[in-house]
Amino acid sequence: MKKLPEPAAVRLGRTVADLAWKRRGKGVLRLEGNYARVVPDAGPERLAELSRAGMRSYLRYWMESFRLPAWSPERIRAGFDPKDLHHLTDGLASGRGVVLALPHLANWDLAGAWVTTALGTPFTTVAERLKPETLYDRFVAYREGLGMEVLPHSGGSAFGTLARRLRDGGLVCLVADRDLSASGVEVKFFGESARMPAGPALLAQQTGALLLPVTLWYDDSPVMRGRVHPPIEVPETGTRAEKTSSMTQALADAFATGIADHPEDWHMLQRLWLADLTPRPADGERP
């Protein structure tokens, strides 16, 4: 993938995406089910069109990611065009630390590589531990090669390290539209209940860092687009749980705006809404 001419890589990605879409596997069906929440008036034909476009977008993410380590700094800088970047640059200049929170839109790895390359700003993120362990190690090495500090999501020490980076005025980037801990904050997302991680809001509260939502999308060009949304402020009153709930809901609302505008670039092939998740057994029952 690194050595193919770019037009050939694009064609290959689209071919693989179309083959996967035609097989109608669990991931494609789940993608369509999620799009049905985002575009509630879409009929079966429209949902099929969206899922095909969604798989093409998803494979574009993978093709770009495979090729990113071989991209020149100039290619990385030219590959992303973010709007309202001043929210980020002003926040970093203030020295208070910044948390960027993103949904699974377009290519967050490219956005991260652009931050380290075009802005010259390193950042810290977390990654879900994958099985086998060698696969996780390769993902970590890949992202560290792009200038990111990567912490494991599990293990309990990530939050403290992220907080230290922010107190030092650093940058933390988190993909935050899916709760991996099963103890996230319940939010209303496209009219239904879902859970999203509390980490971004808690980090902002505990460190004084700026919390900025970011949404990404593709258009018909080779350049990915993006927007840095206005900061989510910490409420002046309420308990920590109430503040966290309010801020996470504001984050979900910002995500929903970007996803509604570009649903085909939202790569959510997993269950997200509570109504789709397997109910947890009651106390005393066997799982």
Side-chain angles (χ1 to χ4, degrees), residues 101-157:
L102 307 88
H104 285 80
L105 274 169
N107 191 338
W108 47 96
D109 283 332
L110 172 55
W114 187 91
V115 166
T116 61
T117 303
L119 298 185
T121 302
F123 66 87
T124 305
T125 187
V126 297
E128 180 181 3
R129 277 202 176 275
L130 302 172
K131 298 294 184 181
E133 193 77 12
T134 53
L135 180 61
Y136 170 78
D137 291 340
R138 291 185 68 178
F139 265 105
V140 169
Y142 154 69
R143 289 186 169 129
E144 288 180 341
L146 298 174
M148 312 174 192
E149 179 187 21
V150 183
L151 307 175
H153 181 270
S154 59
S157 63

Short mmCIF file of all heavy atoms in Angstrom, two decimals, residues 101-157:
data_model
loop_
_atom_site.label_atom_id
_atom_site.label_comp_id
_atom_site.label_asym_id
_atom_site.label_seq_id
_atom_site.Cartn_x
_atom_site.Cartn_y
_atom_site.Cartn_z
N ALA A 101 -11.65 16.45 21.38
CA ALA A 101 -12.49 15.26 21.41
C ALA A 101 -13.14 15.09 20.05
O ALA A 101 -13.75 16.03 19.51
CB ALA A 101 -13.56 15.38 22.50
N LEU A 102 -13.02 13.90 19.48
CA LEU A 102 -13.50 13.63 18.13
C LEU A 102 -14.41 12.40 18.11
O LEU A 102 -14.21 11.47 18.89
CB LEU A 102 -12.34 13.36 17.17
CG LEU A 102 -11.20 14.34 17.06
CD1 LEU A 102 -10.11 14.06 18.08
CD2 LEU A 102 -10.60 14.30 15.66
N PRO A 103 -15.38 12.35 17.19
CA PRO A 103 -16.07 11.10 16.92
C PRO A 103 -15.32 10.31 15.85
O PRO A 103 -14.32 10.79 15.29
CB PRO A 103 -17.44 11.58 16.41
CG PRO A 103 -17.13 12.87 15.72
CD PRO A 103 -15.96 13.49 16.46
N HIS A 104 -15.81 9.12 15.53
CA HIS A 104 -15.18 8.29 14.49
C HIS A 104 -15.57 8.81 13.10
O HIS A 104 -16.24 8.12 12.32
CB HIS A 104 -15.62 6.83 14.65
CG HIS A 104 -14.97 6.12 15.79
ND1 HIS A 104 -15.40 6.27 17.11
CD2 HIS A 104 -13.92 5.26 15.83
CE1 HIS A 104 -14.64 5.51 17.89
NE2 HIS A 104 -13.75 4.90 17.15
N LEU A 105 -15.15 10.02 12.79
CA LEU A 105 -15.43 10.63 11.49
C LEU A 105 -14.16 10.71 10.66
O LEU A 105 -13.10 11.11 11.16
CB LEU A 105 -15.98 12.05 11.68
CG LEU A 105 -17.48 12.23 11.89
CD1 LEU A 105 -17.80 13.66 12.31
CD2 LEU A 105 -18.27 11.87 10.62
N ALA A 106 -14.26 10.32 9.38
CA ALA A 106 -13.17 10.45 8.42
C ALA A 106 -11.88 9.85 8.99
O ALA A 106 -11.89 8.73 9.51
CB ALA A 106 -13.01 11.89 7.99
N ASN A 107 -10.76 10.59 8.96
CA ASN A 107 -9.47 10.00 9.34
C ASN A 107 -8.83 10.79 10.47
O ASN A 107 -8.13 11.79 10.24
CB ASN A 107 -8.53 9.97 8.13
CG ASN A 107 -7.28 9.13 8.38
OD1 ASN A 107 -6.90 8.90 9.52
ND2 ASN A 107 -6.66 8.67 7.31
N TRP A 108 -9.07 10.36 11.70
CA TRP A 108 -8.52 11.05 12.86
C TRP A 108 -7.00 10.86 12.96
O TRP A 108 -6.32 11.70 13.53
CB TRP A 108 -9.21 10.58 14.14
CG TRP A 108 -9.35 9.10 14.26
CD1 TRP A 108 -8.55 8.24 14.93
CD2 TRP A 108 -10.39 8.29 13.68
NE1 TRP A 108 -9.00 6.95 14.81
CE2 TRP A 108 -10.13 6.94 14.05
CE3 TRP A 108 -11.50 8.55 12.89
CZ2 TRP A 108 -10.95 5.88 13.63
CZ3 TRP A 108 -12.31 7.50 12.48
CH2 TRP A 108 -12.03 6.18 12.86
N ASP A 109 -6.46 9.79 12.39
CA ASP A 109 -5.00 9.63 12.37
C ASP A 109 -4.35 10.69 11.50
O ASP A 109 -3.30 11.24 11.85
CB ASP A 109 -4.63 8.24 11.86
CG ASP A 109 -4.83 7.16 12.89
OD1 ASP A 109 -4.74 7.47 14.09
OD2 ASP A 109 -5.07 6.00 12.51
N LEU A 110 -4.95 10.99 10.35
CA LEU A 110 -4.42 12.05 9.49
C LEU A 110 -4.49 13.40 10.19
O LEU A 110 -3.55 14.20 10.13
CB LEU A 110 -5.19 12.09 8.17
CG LEU A 110 -4.88 13.27 7.23
CD1 LEU A 110 -3.40 13.35 6.92
CD2 LEU A 110 -5.71 13.16 5.96
N ALA A 111 -5.61 13.66 10.88
CA ALA A 111 -5.72 14.91 11.63
C ALA A 111 -4.62 15.01 12.68
O ALA A 111 -4.02 16.07 12.88
CB ALA A 111 -7.10 15.02 12.27
N GLY A 112 -4.35 13.89 13.36
CA GLY A 112 -3.30 13.89 14.36
C GLY A 112 -1.92 14.12 13.75
O GLY A 112 -1.10 14.88 14.29
N ALA A 113 -1.66 13.46 12.61
CA ALA A 113 -0.37 13.65 11.93
C ALA A 113 -0.23 15.11 11.48
O ALA A 113 0.87 15.67 11.51
CB ALA A 113 -0.25 12.70 10.74
N TRP A 114 -1.33 15.72 11.07
CA TRP A 114 -1.29 17.13 10.65
C TRP A 114 -0.94 18.03 11.83
O TRP A 114 -0.16 18.97 11.69
CB TRP A 114 -2.65 17.51 10.06
CG TRP A 114 -2.68 18.88 9.44
CD1 TRP A 114 -2.41 19.21 8.15
CD2 TRP A 114 -3.00 20.12 10.11
NE1 TRP A 114 -2.54 20.57 7.96
CE2 TRP A 114 -2.91 21.15 9.15
CE3 TRP A 114 -3.37 20.44 11.41
CZ2 TRP A 114 -3.15 22.48 9.45
CZ3 TRP A 114 -3.61 21.78 11.73
CH2 TRP A 114 -3.50 22.78 10.76
N VAL A 115 -1.50 17.74 12.99
CA VAL A 115 -1.21 18.55 14.18
C VAL A 115 0.28 18.48 14.53
O VAL A 115 0.92 19.50 14.81
CB VAL A 115 -2.08 18.09 15.37
CG1 VAL A 115 -1.57 18.67 16.69
CG2 VAL A 115 -3.53 18.49 15.15
N THR A 116 0.85 17.27 14.50
CA THR A 116 2.26 17.15 14.86
C THR A 116 3.17 17.72 13.77
O THR A 116 4.28 18.17 14.07
CB THR A 116 2.64 15.68 15.11
OG1 THR A 116 2.41 14.91 13.92
CG2 THR A 116 1.82 15.10 16.25
N THR A 117 2.71 17.72 12.52
CA THR A 117 3.55 18.16 11.41
C THR A 117 3.36 19.64 11.10
O THR A 117 4.31 20.42 11.10
CB THR A 117 3.24 17.33 10.15
OG1 THR A 117 3.44 15.94 10.44
CG2 THR A 117 4.15 17.72 9.00
N ALA A 118 2.11 20.04 10.84
CA ALA A 118 1.85 21.43 10.44
C ALA A 118 1.95 22.40 11.61
O ALA A 118 2.44 23.52 11.46
CB ALA A 118 0.46 21.53 9.80
N LEU A 119 1.49 21.97 12.79
CA LEU A 119 1.56 22.84 13.96
C LEU A 119 2.81 22.59 14.80
O LEU A 119 3.12 23.38 15.69
CB LEU A 119 0.32 22.65 14.84
CG LEU A 119 -1.04 22.98 14.22
CD1 LEU A 119 -2.15 22.85 15.26
CD2 LEU A 119 -1.05 24.39 13.62
N GLY A 120 3.48 21.47 14.54
CA GLY A 120 4.66 21.14 15.34
C GLY A 120 4.33 20.89 16.80
O GLY A 120 5.16 21.13 17.68
N THR A 121 3.11 20.37 17.05
CA THR A 121 2.64 20.18 18.42
C THR A 121 2.47 18.70 18.72
O THR A 121 1.58 18.05 18.15
CB THR A 121 1.30 20.90 18.64
OG1 THR A 121 1.47 22.29 18.34
CG2 THR A 121 0.82 20.74 20.07
N PRO A 122 3.25 18.12 19.61
CA PRO A 122 3.03 16.72 20.00
C PRO A 122 1.78 16.62 20.88
O PRO A 122 1.33 17.60 21.47
CB PRO A 122 4.28 16.37 20.79
CG PRO A 122 4.74 17.68 21.36
CD PRO A 122 4.37 18.73 20.34
N PHE A 123 1.22 15.44 20.96
CA PHE A 123 0.05 15.25 21.81
C PHE A 123 0.01 13.83 22.34
O PHE A 123 0.73 12.94 21.86
CB PHE A 123 -1.25 15.60 21.08
CG PHE A 123 -1.59 14.69 19.92
CD1 PHE A 123 -2.30 13.52 20.12
CD2 PHE A 123 -1.21 15.04 18.63
CE1 PHE A 123 -2.62 12.70 19.06
CE2 PHE A 123 -1.53 14.22 17.55
CZ PHE A 123 -2.24 13.05 17.77
N THR A 124 -0.86 13.63 23.30
CA THR A 124 -1.03 12.32 23.93
C THR A 124 -2.43 11.83 23.65
O THR A 124 -3.40 12.59 23.66
CB THR A 124 -0.81 12.44 25.45
OG1 THR A 124 0.48 13.02 25.69
CG2 THR A 124 -0.88 11.08 26.12
N THR A 125 -2.56 10.52 23.41
CA THR A 125 -3.85 9.92 23.17
C THR A 125 -3.89 8.55 23.83
O THR A 125 -2.91 8.12 24.45
CB THR A 125 -4.13 9.81 21.65
OG1 THR A 125 -5.48 9.37 21.43
CG2 THR A 125 -3.17 8.83 20.98
N VAL A 126 -5.02 7.88 23.74
CA VAL A 126 -5.14 6.51 24.27
C VAL A 126 -5.62 5.60 23.15
O VAL A 126 -6.22 6.05 22.18
CB VAL A 126 -6.13 6.44 25.47
CG1 VAL A 126 -5.64 7.27 26.64
CG2 VAL A 126 -7.53 6.89 25.05
N ALA A 127 -5.32 4.32 23.30
CA ALA A 127 -5.72 3.33 22.30
C ALA A 127 -6.29 2.12 23.01
O ALA A 127 -5.79 1.70 24.06
CB ALA A 127 -4.53 2.93 21.43
N GLU A 128 -7.34 1.57 22.42
CA GLU A 128 -7.94 0.34 22.94
C GLU A 128 -6.96 -0.81 22.76
O GLU A 128 -6.33 -0.96 21.70
CB GLU A 128 -9.24 0.05 22.18
CG GLU A 128 -9.96 -1.21 22.64
CD GLU A 128 -11.23 -1.46 21.83
OE1 GLU A 128 -11.50 -0.70 20.88
OE2 GLU A 128 -11.93 -2.43 22.17
N ARG A 129 -6.81 -1.61 23.79
CA ARG A 129 -5.92 -2.77 23.70
C ARG A 129 -6.56 -3.81 22.79
O ARG A 129 -7.64 -4.32 23.06
CB ARG A 129 -5.66 -3.39 25.07
CG ARG A 129 -4.56 -2.69 25.85
CD ARG A 129 -3.98 -3.59 26.91
NE ARG A 129 -2.87 -2.97 27.61
CZ ARG A 129 -1.62 -3.00 27.20
NH1 ARG A 129 -1.32 -3.60 26.05
NH2 ARG A 129 -0.66 -2.42 27.89
N LEU A 130 -5.88 -4.11 21.69
CA LEU A 130 -6.39 -5.08 20.73
C LEU A 130 -5.75 -6.44 20.97
O LEU A 130 -4.69 -6.55 21.55
CB LEU A 130 -6.06 -4.61 19.30
CG LEU A 130 -6.61 -3.23 18.90
CD1 LEU A 130 -6.05 -2.82 17.55
CD2 LEU A 130 -8.13 -3.25 18.88
N LYS A 131 -6.45 -7.47 20.52
CA LYS A 131 -5.92 -8.82 20.57
C LYS A 131 -5.69 -9.29 19.13
O LYS A 131 -6.53 -9.05 18.27
CB LYS A 131 -6.89 -9.77 21.29
CG LYS A 131 -7.15 -9.40 22.73
CD LYS A 131 -5.90 -9.56 23.59
CE LYS A 131 -6.20 -9.27 25.06
NZ LYS A 131 -4.99 -9.41 25.89
N PRO A 132 -4.58 -9.94 18.85
CA PRO A 132 -3.49 -10.29 19.76
C PRO A 132 -2.66 -9.07 20.15
O PRO A 132 -2.74 -8.03 19.50
CB PRO A 132 -2.67 -11.29 18.95
CG PRO A 132 -2.88 -10.87 17.53
CD PRO A 132 -4.31 -10.41 17.47
N GLU A 133 -1.85 -9.22 21.17
CA GLU A 133 -1.04 -8.12 21.69
C GLU A 133 -0.09 -7.56 20.62
O GLU A 133 0.17 -6.36 20.60
CB GLU A 133 -0.22 -8.60 22.89
CG GLU A 133 0.41 -7.49 23.71
CD GLU A 133 -0.58 -6.77 24.61
OE1 GLU A 133 -1.70 -7.27 24.78
OE2 GLU A 133 -0.21 -5.71 25.14
N THR A 134 0.36 -8.41 19.71
CA THR A 134 1.26 -7.94 18.67
C THR A 134 0.57 -6.92 17.77
O THR A 134 1.21 -5.98 17.26
CB THR A 134 1.78 -9.10 17.82
OG1 THR A 134 0.67 -9.87 17.34
CG2 THR A 134 2.69 -10.01 18.64
N LEU A 135 -0.74 -7.09 17.54
CA LEU A 135 -1.49 -6.13 16.72
C LEU A 135 -1.56 -4.79 17.42
O LEU A 135 -1.35 -3.74 16.80
CB LEU A 135 -2.89 -6.67 16.45
CG LEU A 135 -3.81 -5.78 15.60
CD1 LEU A 135 -3.20 -5.55 14.23
CD2 LEU A 135 -5.20 -6.40 15.49
N TYR A 136 -1.83 -4.81 18.72
CA TYR A 136 -1.85 -3.56 19.50
C TYR A 136 -0.49 -2.87 19.44
O TYR A 136 -0.40 -1.66 19.23
CB TYR A 136 -2.24 -3.85 20.95
CG TYR A 136 -2.05 -2.67 21.88
CD1 TYR A 136 -2.97 -1.63 21.90
CD2 TYR A 136 -0.94 -2.60 22.72
CE1 TYR A 136 -2.78 -0.54 22.75
CE2 TYR A 136 -0.75 -1.51 23.55
CZ TYR A 136 -1.68 -0.49 23.57
OH TYR A 136 -1.50 0.59 24.39
N ASP A 137 0.58 -3.65 19.60
CA ASP A 137 1.93 -3.08 19.58
C ASP A 137 2.22 -2.42 18.23
O ASP A 137 2.87 -1.37 18.17
CB ASP A 137 2.97 -4.16 19.86
CG ASP A 137 2.91 -4.66 21.30
OD1 ASP A 137 2.36 -3.94 22.16
OD2 ASP A 137 3.41 -5.77 21.56
N ARG A 138 1.73 -3.00 17.15
CA ARG A 138 1.98 -2.43 15.84
C ARG A 138 1.20 -1.13 15.66
O ARG A 138 1.70 -0.18 15.05
CB ARG A 138 1.60 -3.43 14.75
CG ARG A 138 2.53 -4.63 14.69
CD ARG A 138 2.22 -5.56 13.55
NE ARG A 138 2.53 -4.94 12.25
CZ ARG A 138 2.38 -5.56 11.09
NH1 ARG A 138 1.91 -6.81 11.06
NH2 ARG A 138 2.67 -4.95 9.97
N PHE A 139 -0.03 -1.06 16.18
CA PHE A 139 -0.80 0.18 16.12
C PHE A 139 -0.11 1.28 16.92
O PHE A 139 -0.04 2.43 16.49
CB PHE A 139 -2.22 -0.05 16.65
CG PHE A 139 -3.21 -0.35 15.56
CD1 PHE A 139 -3.68 -1.62 15.37
CD2 PHE A 139 -3.69 0.67 14.74
CE1 PHE A 139 -4.61 -1.89 14.37
CE2 PHE A 139 -4.60 0.41 13.74
CZ PHE A 139 -5.06 -0.88 13.55
N VAL A 140 0.39 0.93 18.09
CA VAL A 140 1.08 1.91 18.92
C VAL A 140 2.33 2.42 18.19
O VAL A 140 2.59 3.63 18.13
CB VAL A 140 1.45 1.31 20.29
CG1 VAL A 140 2.40 2.24 21.05
CG2 VAL A 140 0.19 1.08 21.11
N ALA A 141 3.11 1.50 17.64
CA ALA A 141 4.33 1.90 16.93
C ALA A 141 3.99 2.79 15.74
O ALA A 141 4.70 3.78 15.46
CB ALA A 141 5.09 0.66 16.47
N TYR A 142 2.91 2.46 15.02
CA TYR A 142 2.49 3.26 13.87
C TYR A 142 2.14 4.68 14.30
O TYR A 142 2.60 5.66 13.71
CB TYR A 142 1.29 2.57 13.21
CG TYR A 142 0.37 3.48 12.44
CD1 TYR A 142 0.77 4.09 11.26
CD2 TYR A 142 -0.93 3.71 12.89
CE1 TYR A 142 -0.09 4.92 10.56
CE2 TYR A 142 -1.78 4.52 12.20
CZ TYR A 142 -1.36 5.13 11.03
OH TYR A 142 -2.22 5.95 10.34
N ARG A 143 1.35 4.82 15.37
CA ARG A 143 0.94 6.15 15.79
C ARG A 143 2.09 6.91 16.43
O ARG A 143 2.20 8.12 16.26
CB ARG A 143 -0.27 6.03 16.74
CG ARG A 143 -1.52 5.61 15.98
CD ARG A 143 -2.77 5.61 16.81
NE ARG A 143 -3.94 5.45 15.94
CZ ARG A 143 -4.89 4.55 16.12
NH1 ARG A 143 -4.82 3.73 17.13
NH2 ARG A 143 -5.92 4.48 15.28
N GLU A 144 2.94 6.22 17.16
CA GLU A 144 4.11 6.91 17.72
C GLU A 144 5.03 7.40 16.60
O GLU A 144 5.67 8.45 16.72
CB GLU A 144 4.85 5.98 18.67
CG GLU A 144 4.11 5.75 19.98
CD GLU A 144 4.83 4.83 20.94
OE1 GLU A 144 5.72 4.07 20.48
OE2 GLU A 144 4.50 4.85 22.14
N GLY A 145 5.07 6.66 15.50
CA GLY A 145 5.86 7.09 14.36
C GLY A 145 5.33 8.36 13.72
O GLY A 145 6.07 9.06 13.00
N LEU A 146 4.06 8.68 13.98
CA LEU A 146 3.45 9.91 13.47
C LEU A 146 3.59 11.06 14.48
O LEU A 146 3.06 12.14 14.25
CB LEU A 146 1.97 9.68 13.15
CG LEU A 146 1.69 8.64 12.05
CD1 LEU A 146 0.18 8.39 11.93
CD2 LEU A 146 2.26 9.09 10.71
N GLY A 147 4.26 10.80 15.59
CA GLY A 147 4.50 11.86 16.57
C GLY A 147 3.56 11.89 17.74
O GLY A 147 3.50 12.88 18.47
N MET A 148 2.81 10.81 17.96
CA MET A 148 1.83 10.77 19.05
C MET A 148 2.39 9.96 20.22
O MET A 148 3.09 8.97 20.03
CB MET A 148 0.53 10.11 18.58
CG MET A 148 0.00 10.63 17.27
SD MET A 148 -1.45 9.66 16.71
CE MET A 148 -1.61 10.27 15.01
N GLU A 149 2.06 10.37 21.44
CA GLU A 149 2.30 9.54 22.62
C GLU A 149 1.02 8.74 22.86
O GLU A 149 -0.06 9.30 23.01
CB GLU A 149 2.60 10.40 23.84
CG GLU A 149 2.84 9.56 25.10
CD GLU A 149 2.97 10.39 26.36
OE1 GLU A 149 2.50 11.55 26.37
OE2 GLU A 149 3.51 9.88 27.37
N VAL A 150 1.13 7.41 22.88
CA VAL A 150 -0.04 6.54 22.95
C VAL A 150 -0.03 5.78 24.27
O VAL A 150 0.95 5.10 24.61
CB VAL A 150 -0.06 5.54 21.77
CG1 VAL A 150 -1.33 4.68 21.83
CG2 VAL A 150 0.02 6.28 20.44
N LEU A 151 -1.14 5.90 25.01
CA LEU A 151 -1.31 5.19 26.28
C LEU A 151 -2.37 4.11 26.12
O LEU A 151 -3.35 4.30 25.39
CB LEU A 151 -1.75 6.17 27.38
CG LEU A 151 -0.90 7.43 27.57
CD1 LEU A 151 -1.57 8.33 28.61
CD2 LEU A 151 0.51 7.06 28.01
N PRO A 152 -2.25 2.97 26.80
CA PRO A 152 -3.29 1.95 26.73
C PRO A 152 -4.55 2.41 27.45
O PRO A 152 -4.48 3.03 28.51
CB PRO A 152 -2.66 0.74 27.43
CG PRO A 152 -1.63 1.33 28.33
CD PRO A 152 -1.12 2.56 27.65
N HIS A 153 -5.71 2.10 26.84
CA HIS A 153 -6.98 2.51 27.44
C HIS A 153 -7.21 1.80 28.77
O HIS A 153 -7.73 2.38 29.71
CB HIS A 153 -8.13 2.19 26.47
CG HIS A 153 -9.48 2.59 26.98
ND1 HIS A 153 -10.27 1.75 27.72
CD2 HIS A 153 -10.17 3.75 26.86
CE1 HIS A 153 -11.40 2.37 28.04
NE2 HIS A 153 -11.37 3.57 27.53
N SER A 154 -6.85 0.54 28.84
CA SER A 154 -7.02 -0.23 30.06
C SER A 154 -5.80 -0.07 30.95
O SER A 154 -4.73 0.35 30.51
CB SER A 154 -7.25 -1.71 29.74
OG SER A 154 -6.15 -2.22 29.01
N GLY A 155 -5.98 -0.41 32.22
CA GLY A 155 -4.84 -0.39 33.15
C GLY A 155 -4.94 0.66 34.23
O GLY A 155 -4.28 0.57 35.25
N GLY A 156 -5.76 1.70 34.03
CA GLY A 156 -6.05 2.64 35.09
C GLY A 156 -5.12 3.82 35.23
O GLY A 156 -5.41 4.76 35.96
N SER A 157 -3.95 3.80 34.56
CA SER A 157 -2.98 4.88 34.75
C SER A 157 -3.09 5.97 33.70
O SER A 157 -2.46 7.03 33.83
CB SER A 157 -1.55 4.32 34.74
OG SER A 157 -1.26 3.73 33.48
#
